[in-house]
């Protein structure tokens, strides 16, 4: 089976409506597990206080067969390894305070996303691929900004398209000054699409390149070299090609000196020990995936996936030292990793499950107690901070998953603090008033903790609570005034924390009707609707990347000028020029 | 010929590549001229200090044949009249300080954009239609915010989709409290598309409706009525249906009392006289349109339209009173109206001219002198303020036209102040150093005036100069320090005001090559690229509407779930349910 079939292209739309064909038909499911011992495309060396991560793509190691990953070009498999490296550096290597991102290939940094892979991929795969790669680059910037682990790019050769975008996610970019190495964004001139990994936004809003110069950069396939790249602000430093890794190392060491991460184990010095991230346990069946703290139930008949997060059970750490001893088994970290994997699994492998029902099970007080440990150590402890940052990124992934989110608050649930964010992330929240008939489980409550007031901001930089009450400061203050209180359904409704409250008589019918109604609506229109309603208020680099750049890219990806038989993406490399409908809209 | 053919749908893409078929093939060109005496769909009554504008759509008066404008639904022709009314109220009626927007149809406000028209229209027409209607609604908000002419919506019956979005552009919304009148955004449930006129953005970011409630509003076709609409912030006031126009009138009179517009002619009181806006003179030929101050040359072979704006000539007003006496003939107003019409003409009628070359001809000192009159009276004179606001809106239209903009600064040009904005709006600016061989016209200069420092902000709220130097305060200050100075090419380049400087030897070739290169790139990719590069920095309601909502809408419009044969837009009203590809992306 060739790449075309495996990536789902060419199948008639009708073949996919069972939610089981397309990407999944014949192709292996996308898995996000890996570890440095299994990397095929990266070399990671830990040299405290820095790490060296070199791109060394195995051109025969494509995620799907049918294309060669030449010139350090990447596909999803390469990026899954990068995401793993970014994550492990944060948790397993507190002693690393700066990371040099370079290339192991002489005179080539990276040619960006592999074009043959993109040309063969269907639209959903392209969108999911871009979304994931964007999240990985934002995770690098999050590490630079919040974890004291600054990224430095060493461009020892040409960095084009996604290759330069990868560098743009770093804090500092060095470019080889050899008369040939360049940075470029050739997507528009060569492929008829847009740079898909934040390049346009970062050139303008992060690096503040003058817009007419950015226009030149983005329309000239060969890009910009040397002194001009420096003068225009496309890179931060030039270095001789043969010495560029050394120059990057020196720069990284200087940046490491300003980091607030724990001191690392230098020869003769004591340092913080890292937290190893073991492979996730995943019990997967036809209609269910169970990770332990997170269970996903798949209802293909109703197009619904139900994600249930279980709260902490049994004795739990009550301080940072105990949390560190628990390591990857500490509930907030374990639950975040499981939820993150579940989200990615559903995004890539269960495209037709359009609604995700969000549930929780457990003791709200236990969640609140875990939040106490988080809140008390956010500023003082590197590990607790990392766990909170991972929770933040995982919840952002949820916001960006292009699925309708419905939270159900029922007896036995634990929507408190960190887990209350699931309710606040939902498009609609349903809460049962009282108990179920014949069941003596006490009525559900919801509870705010300090974790709802800032440490877990959405992409717009606001807490989900503040975003909910945008322009209504009084309502925000009223909700905050009930911090820590268990709130019954009527109180939660009065405070504006849930959308719908029903009692046992109506609950089942109302929830069923709401899910059926959702499943009857246009999947595309819902994606656009939710993207507009979820991110009110301030805009950030992140909301621009996902809310503006991605929306335009999705549009361009659909157009015959890119994806049609005579379009640029399909004709790239054939020697035949694309044929364009010239009408501008 | 049916509507399908007239709106260009169904023609093979190849048929359009000569830039002359499609929309223009057989269909009449879109014209934006009208006046109240010719309105077919609106009734305008001036009752100082208020005006009453009632929607009364002639269902047989569609812009194209083939559909009936039932239930006060609108098409482009209806909106052209609305745009005309908004403009004339500002210029011709300084005595009007508040406008009541209502319906002349009993129990119906407006059903929004006509679905049959949308279903039959091709993609470029839909995009242009939505863009124009959005600009009209933003012009209403601009009048409320800047002209002391506040808009009040009186919803005497159901306002659905674009009908409610029209109300959302008003400052105050009254809804009939009769148990049946509702506000709704049924695009997602009924049509599989998004509200296309800012509805999602305004519900969230202007009216601050809680996002889960907004989700309910946007997924329930029947919308929200009475008390709930008020409680949720969807409307501002309820009134009995039969008395709603009176209630709106009272509200408008109260708002008028707070306005800073000149006092109007009440019985026995003196008031400001308005400035009538006569029909534009347009000398139109096959390859040229000449308005007097603005000339457009059409080069279909190169896919280029050249827009030349001529500066003021002869004696010009030097104070506000003289400007008012000159009225519509005052150069800044006349040039703005002509440029505005030229932009709309090219947008709708010349889709395949992908690059607009921006030129000026005249005396820079004369432009600077006109700017002096503008700057001295921006705060104190209603007419001058209106002219500046129109210049602002016209330049915003230019930014949003989805065309590549290239400015050419040559001897004899007058890129000063207000006209320098054309250079600052361009994606690339070329400037000739020195003169043309054998021509003794002095070398070109460019010149900043106070008009470049704030009165003409782009959609992001920044002056184009500040947007150009985003994050580079020193460069902004250096440019500002040369306010009023004629700047030769080398100085303009050093200050960062132009992209490329060439002398006579290279000029022609370099410009030709740049235009040829532009014409060779994907029109869609250029639109997406420019949309991302032109609007850096802060986001506003306006940038969200155009940069985020519109981008998503364009995407949805392309998708088979909306526009395919089995899509919702095509199947609406047929009794057959749409068939969706359920995959979420």
């Amino acid at each position: 089976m060739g790449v075309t079939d495996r990536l789902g292209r060419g199948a008639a739309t009708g073949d996919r409506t069972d939610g089981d064909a397309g990407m999944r038909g014949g192709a292996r499911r996308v898995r996000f597990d890996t570890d440095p011992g299994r990397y095929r495309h990266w070399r990671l060396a830990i040299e405290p206080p820095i790490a060296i991560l070199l791109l060394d793509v195995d051109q025969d190691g494509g995620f799907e067969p049918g294309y060669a990953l030449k010139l350090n070009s990447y596909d999803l498999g390469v990026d899954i390894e990068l995401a793993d490296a970014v994550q492990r550096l944060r948790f397993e290597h507190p002693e690393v305070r700066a990371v040099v991102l370079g290339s192991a290939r002489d005179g080539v940094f990276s040619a960006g996303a592999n074009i043959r892979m993109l040309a063969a991929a269907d639209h959903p795969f392209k969108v999911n691929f871009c979304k994931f790669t964007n999240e990985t680059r934002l995770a690098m910037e999050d590490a630079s900004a919040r974890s004291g682990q600054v990224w430095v790019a060493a461009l020892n050769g040409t960095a084009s398209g996604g290759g330069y975008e990868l560098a743009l996610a770093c804090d500092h970019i060095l470019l080889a000054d050899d008369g040939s190495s360049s940075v470029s964004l050739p997507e528009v001139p060569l492929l008829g699409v847009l740079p898909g990994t934040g390049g346009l936004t970062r050139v303008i809003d992060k690096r503040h390149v003058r817009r007419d110069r950015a226009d030149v950069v983005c329309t000239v396939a060969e890009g910009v070299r040397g002194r001009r790249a420096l003068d225009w602000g496309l890179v931060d430093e030039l270095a001789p090609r043969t010495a560029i890794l050394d120059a990057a190392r020196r720069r990284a060491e200087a940046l490491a000196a300003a980091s607030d991460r724990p001191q690392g184990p230098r020869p003769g010095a004591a340092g913080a020990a890292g937290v190893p991230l073991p492979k996730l346990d995943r019990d997967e069946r036809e209609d269910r995936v169970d990770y332990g703290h997170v269970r996903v139930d798949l209802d293909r008949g109703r197009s619904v996936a139900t994600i249930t997060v279980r709260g902490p059970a049994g004795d739990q750490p009550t301080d940072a030292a105990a949390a560190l001893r628990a390591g990857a088994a500490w509930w907030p970290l374990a639950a975040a990793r499981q939820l993150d994997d579940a989200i990615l699994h559903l995004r890539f492998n269960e495209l037709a499950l359009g609604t995700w029902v969000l549930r929780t099970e457990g003791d709200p007080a236990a969640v609140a107690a875990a939040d106490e440990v988080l809140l008390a150590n956010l500023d003082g402890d590197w590990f607790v901070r990392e766990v909170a940052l991972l929770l933040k990124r995982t919840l952002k992934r949820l916001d960006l998953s292009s699925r309708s989110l419905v939270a159900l608050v029922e007896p036995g649930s634990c929507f408190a603090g960190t887990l209350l964010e699931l309710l606040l992330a939902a498009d609609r929240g349903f809460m049962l008033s009282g108990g179920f008939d014949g069941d003596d489980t006490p009525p559900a409550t919801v509870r705010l903790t300090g974790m709802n007031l800032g440490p877990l901001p959405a992409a717009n930089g606001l807490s989900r609570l503040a975003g909910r009450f945008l322009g209504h400061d009084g309502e925000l203050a009223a909700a905050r005034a009930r911090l820590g209180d268990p709130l019954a359904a009527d109180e939660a409704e009065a405070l504006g924390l849930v959308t719908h409250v029903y009692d046992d008589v109506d609950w089942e019918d109302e929830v069923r009707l709401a899910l059926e109604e959702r499943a009857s609506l246009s999947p595309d229109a819902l994606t656009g609707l939710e993207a507009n309603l979820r991110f009110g208020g301030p805009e950030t680099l992140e909301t621009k990347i996902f809310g503006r750049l991605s929306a335009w890219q999705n549009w361009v990806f659909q157009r015959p000028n890119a994806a049609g038989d005579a379009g640029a993406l399909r004709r790239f490399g054939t020697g035949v020029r694309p044929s364009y409908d010239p009408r501008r809209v």
Side-chain angles (χ1 to χ4, degrees), chain A:
Chain A
M1 174 172 289
V3 60
T4 299
D5 294 321
R6 283 186 175 252
L7 293 180
R9 220 189 125 260
T13 293
D15 292 342
R16 294 171 180 146
T17 52
D18 63 354
D20 216 6
M23 271 299 299
R24 298 177 54 233
R28 74 172 190 274
R29 294 192 164 203
V30 183
R31 295 292 182 221
F32 297 86
D33 293 306
T34 188
D35 61 68
R38 292 155 63 197
Y39 291 174
R40 292 189 68 167
H41 308 296
W42 294 92
R43 295 195 217 156
L44 178 59
I46 308 296
E47 306 172 7
I50 69 171
I52 311 283
L53 182 63
L54 299 183
L55 184 57
D56 187 16
V57 175
D58 174 357
Q59 73 167 30
D60 301 321
F63 185 74
E64 299 277 352
Y67 52 87
L69 295 173
K70 295 180 181 168
L71 296 172
N72 262 358
S73 65
Y74 61 81
D75 68 356
L76 182 62
V78 178
D79 228 72
I80 287 172
E81 292 182 4
L82 174 61
D84 182 77
V86 175
Q87 186 96 308
R88 287 183 192 278
L89 281 165
R90 298 174 78 157
F91 280 100
E92 301 187 346
H93 298 286
E95 75 278 17
V96 169
R97 298 148 66 91
V99 183
V100 172
L101 179 69
S103 159
R105 303 279 299 275
D106 203 32
V108 174
F109 179 72
S110 168
N114 186 273
I115 308 309
R116 306 225 178 267
M117 177 275 295
L118 276 180
D122 66 5
H123 187 72
F125 186 84
K126 281 202 279 274
V127 172
N128 268 325
F129 171 72
C130 287
K131 195 178 282 182
F132 180 78
T133 55
N134 269 305
E135 289 170 323
T136 303
R137 279 132 199 82
L138 286 162
M140 291 163 59
E141 290 182 321
D142 189 52
S144 283
R146 308 276 174 205
S147 296
Q149 200 171 65
V150 180
W151 286 68
V152 175
L155 310 183
N156 63 318
T158 290
S160 54
Y164 178 46
E165 289 179 298
L166 189 54
L168 284 168
C170 297
D171 252 36
H172 190 89
I173 307 176
L174 294 100
L175 175 64
D177 189 18
D178 57 2
S180 72
S181 295
S182 65
V183 295
S184 65
L185 293 169
E187 285 84 350
V188 172
L190 293 187
L191 305 172
V193 300
L194 303 180
T197 333
L200 303 183
T201 304
R202 287 197 178 85
V203 162
I204 293 290
D205 280 301
K206 181 180 181 180
R207 300 195 63 93
H208 296 132
V209 175
R210 218 174 69 204
R211 53 168 285 226
D212 56 335
R213 289 172 167 171
D215 184 275
V216 173
V217 175
C218 298
T219 52
V220 171
E222 64 270 26
V224 179
R225 292 190 301 270
R227 186 78 216 173
R228 172 175 278 192
L230 185 65
D231 287 345
W232 285 13
L234 298 165
V235 304
D236 299 292
E237 191 176 343
L238 299 176
R241 188 205 285 189
T242 49
I244 195 164
L245 209 54
D246 286 338
R249 202 184 293 261
R250 282 194 302 276
R251 175 65 60 178
E253 279 164 359
L255 290 166
S259 162
D260 67 350
R261 279 176 87 82
Q263 287 300 328
R266 289 174 185 280
V275 171
L277 301 178
K279 191 171 187 320
L280 294 176
D281 257 339
R282 189 167 37 212
D283 175 15
E284 187 160 359
R285 319 239 171 130
E286 175 57 25
D287 61 352
R288 199 182 77 187
V289 189
D290 201 331
Y291 295 83
H293 299 302
V294 175
R295 190 184 69 226
V296 182
D297 292 288
L298 312 171
D299 183 343
R300 298 204 175 85
R302 295 193 308 161
S303 303
V304 169
T306 300
I307 301 175
T308 302
V309 182
R310 300 178 179 115
D315 282 349
Q316 295 289 321
T318 56
D319 60 29
L324 184 63
R325 281 195 302 275
W330 188 34
W331 176 81
L333 174 54
R337 291 183 68 213
Q338 294 174 14
L339 180 58
D340 204 45
D341 193 75
I343 290 168
L344 291 171
H345 170 65
L346 290 171
R347 262 198 206 165
F348 276 84
N349 300 320
E350 299 288 352
L351 292 163
L353 302 185
T355 300
W356 292 354
V357 169
L358 304 172
R359 295 181 68 258
T360 57
E361 288 176 4
D363 176 6
V367 181
D371 280 6
E372 286 302 313
V373 180
L374 285 164
L375 289 161
N377 297 285
L378 281 178
D379 294 326
D381 184 88
W382 76 269
F383 173 61
V384 171
R385 178 171 72 181
E386 282 307 327
V387 172
L389 291 170
L390 175 59
L391 284 164
K392 175 188 76 173
R393 294 194 303 279
T394 301
L395 289 162
K396 286 184 181 185
R397 250 206 244 278
L398 184 64
D399 294 330
L400 280 171
S401 286
S402 299
R403 299 293 195 281
S404 297
L405 303 177
V406 175
L408 301 185
V409 186
E410 298 168 285
S413 67
C414 54
F415 284 97
T418 293
L419 292 189
L420 183 65
E421 292 292 313
L422 298 175
L423 172 62
L424 297 173
D427 301 301
R428 305 259 197 110
F430 291 74
M431 188 164 178
L432 183 77
S433 169
F436 284 121
D437 190 35
D439 177 351
D440 58 4
T441 309
T445 60
V446 300
R447 189 187 306 204
L448 291 163
T449 75
M451 291 301 284
N452 306 116
L453 305 183
L456 303 172
N460 59 8
L462 299 180
S463 71
R464 287 178 186 77
L465 193 73
R468 189 173 187 83
F469 297 120
L470 203 65
H472 298 281
D473 293 347
E475 296 183 33
L476 178 58
R480 290 178 68 124
R482 302 300 303 275
L483 194 71
D485 296 347
L487 302 167
D490 57 341
E491 294 174 296
E493 186 178 35
L495 288 169
L497 298 174
V498 295
T499 322
H500 308 285
V501 169
Y502 299 107
D503 63 16
D504 177 46
V505 176
D506 295 322
W507 178 260
E508 196 177 329
D509 279 350
E510 293 290 348
V511 169
R512 181 179 50 76
L513 285 171
L515 295 178
E516 284 175 5
E517 180 209 63
R518 208 76 183 182
S520 75
L521 302 180
S522 161
D524 305 330
L526 284 175
T527 294
L529 172 70
E530 293 153 3
N532 277 280
L533 298 185
R534 285 180 190 168
F535 305 102
E539 295 268 344
T540 62
L541 193 130
E542 200 168 333
T543 62
K544 285 187 179 184
I545 288 173
F546 289 114
R548 183 205 273 192
L549 175 57
S550 297
W552 279 110
Q553 177 75 301
N554 288 354
W555 175 76
V556 171
F557 270 157
Q558 290 283 297
R559 304 271 295 171
N561 285 341
D565 286 337
L569 203 50
R570 303 289 296 284
R571 287 219 170 142
F572 178 75
T574 62
V576 185
R577 289 180 60 82
S579 168
Y580 293 133
D581 173 351
R583 296 176 302 161
R584 288 289 296 257
V585 290

